[in-house]
Amino acid sequence: MSTNVTQQKSLSCCWNLLEGLKMRVIGLPCPHCEQSVRAIKSRTMSPMLKEITYRCQNEECGHVFVAGLEVLRTLSLSAQPNYAVKIPISQHARASALNQLSLNLQVA
């Protein structure tokens, strides 16, 4: 099986999963003609970064480009954290965690 076919099946699987969850897929338009684009392959660079190759759906434009999908900050702490991954914590999540830690949890 060719790499391209494997990548397409992988993307197809992900799209089907997202459709099943009724999640909205955030897209971006072609930076040149502003028409819709389609992801044609992706590459995981790290646990925090993925590169996605897009192709413009406008045949007259034909632009192909790479965009990045990056984890920027934590909004809600994980119940199963990977301590090897360092993700900045938002001010809101930090305040909430500190508030929970400061609660008096003495057993009566």
Side-chain angles (χ1 to χ4, degrees), residues 47-65:
M48 303 275 291
L49 178 64
K50 181 176 271 196
E51 281 189 352
I52 305 167
T53 302
Y54 290 96
R55 175 177 288 130
C56 180
Q57 295 294 91
N58 177 355
E59 291 181 14
E60 293 179 13
C61 176
H63 187 226
V64 177
F65 62 98

Side-chain angles (χ1 to χ4, degrees), residues 21-90:
L21 295 174
K22 302 292 184 196
M23 295 179 69
R24 181 171 179 254
V25 177
I26 306 284
L28 66 157
C30 173
H32 291 287
C33 72
E34 299 183 0
Q35 297 299 309
S36 63
V37 298
R38 169 170 271 159
I40 55 174
K41 67 179 179 177
S42 66
R43 180 170 67 150
T44 300
M45 306 301 287
S46 75
M48 303 275 291
L49 178 64
K50 181 176 271 196
E51 281 189 352
I52 305 167
T53 302
Y54 290 96
R55 175 177 288 130
C56 180
Q57 295 294 91
N58 177 355
E59 291 181 14
E60 293 179 13
C61 176
H63 187 226
V64 177
F65 62 98
V66 174
L69 176 62
E70 179 181 14
V71 175
L72 298 176
R73 64 186 162 275
T74 294
L75 299 178
S76 176
L77 298 175
S78 172
Q80 300 177 328
N82 177 351
Y83 294 106
V85 176
K86 304 298 181 201
I87 304 172
I89 301 173
S90 72

